[in-house]
Structure formats: C-alpha cells, structure tokens
C-alpha cells in the first residue's frame, strides 16, 4: 500500500502518504458537489467516484487521469466497479436526499440502480 485515497464533502480527492501522513496530491475541479463514495477495481488500476452532482467518474489510479464521466441524472450515493476482470461494468445507485425520502414516491425520487460499460463509455 503506497498511498491512501480519500474523498470529501469539499469536492476534493486526496492522495496521502501512509508512512508520514503528508498529503501527496489534491485533485480539485473535477467534482462540483460532495463526493459520496470512492471504490477501486479488483486490480487497483481504476477507481470510480460517485457524487451529489449526478456524475459517476472513472479514473486511472496511477495518473489520476479522468477516463469517463457518466451523468446519472440523480444524486449518487455509491458506485462500484465489477470485480470480474472480463466485465468492464460500473454500477451506481442513488436518488433524492435522505430528508425528502418519506415525502416522495420511489419513481419521483429516482431511486434506481444504473449500470455503465466503461470499456465503451455508455450506459447499459
């Protein structure tokens, strides 16, 4: 484990040195609202983030290069990459804010799960 990655309400993704706690890199400007989750691929070459700005984003871990940004048209709570090497899929889930859940029907709140193919860059 050469680095620790964190995401935050302040819209940043940070890379930390686990030996001394120093911040190695701060990625700003990619997200516009609170980042809600960060997950890695099975081989840790890719990572995805979910965000309240309705986007799930796919990054190359080594360079932090943004590969894809998928608009889910709803605030996202979580995203994950398939653990199967031959399945280049991401799954994202979310909906409206928690405080509005009891006053809205599931269809109106857009509580759904969405699949994305990150090899072809499209929603399934």
């Amino acid at each position: 484990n050469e680095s620790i990655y964190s995401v935050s309400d302040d819209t940043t993704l940070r890379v930390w040195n686990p030996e001394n706690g120093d911040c190695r890199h701060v990625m700003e400007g990619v997200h516009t609202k609170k980042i809600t989750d960060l997950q890695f691929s099975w081989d840790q070459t890719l990572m995805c983030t979910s965000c309240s700005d309705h986007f799930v984003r796919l990054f190359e871990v080594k360079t932090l290069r943004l590969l894809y940004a998928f608009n889910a048209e709803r605030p996202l709570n979580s995203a994950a990459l398939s653990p199967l090497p031959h399945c280049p899929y991401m799954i994202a889930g979310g909906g409206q804010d928690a405080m509005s859940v009891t006053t809205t029907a599931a269809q109106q709140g857009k509580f759904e799960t969405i699949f994305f193919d990150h090899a072809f860059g499209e929603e399934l």
Side-chain angles (χ1 to χ4, degrees), residues 48 50 56 76 78-82 89-93 113-116:
C48 66
S50 59
V56 59
L76 294 171
S78 187
L81 291 155
S82 172
Y89 303 132
M90 287 190 303
I91 185 172
T113 302
I114 307 156
F115 289 86
F116 299 99

Side-chain angles (χ1 to χ4, degrees), residues 39-108:
Q39 298 289 329
F40 291 90
S41 62
W42 67 276
D43 61 358
Q44 297 193 0
T45 59
L46 301 173
M47 66 181 172
C48 66
T49 57
S50 59
C51 187
S52 296
D53 67 2
H54 303 192
F55 279 87
V56 59
R57 291 175 174 87
L58 181 69
F59 298 91
E60 184 179 57
V61 172
K62 195 172 196 173
T63 63
L64 295 179
R65 182 171 60 105
L66 178 64
L67 301 173
Y68 289 108
F70 298 100
N71 187 348
E73 300 177 0
R74 66 193 48 78
L76 294 171
N77 299 327
S78 187
L81 291 155
S82 172
L84 305 174
H86 62 282
C87 292
Y89 303 132
M90 287 190 303
I91 185 172
Q96 69 190 112
D97 293 332
M99 64 176 21
S100 304
V101 170
T102 58
T103 60
T104 307
Q107 291 169 327
Q108 291 172 323

Side-chain angles (χ1 to χ4, degrees), residues 1-6 13-27 61-62 64:
N1 296 330
E2 298 173 11
S3 298
I4 296 173
Y5 294 77
S6 67
L13 185 150
R14 296 176 190 265
V15 183
W16 304 88
N17 182 331
E19 292 180 14
N20 60 21
D22 288 345
C23 184
R24 291 181 177 159
H25 184 75
V26 178
M27 180 183 282
V61 172
K62 195 172 196 173
L64 295 179

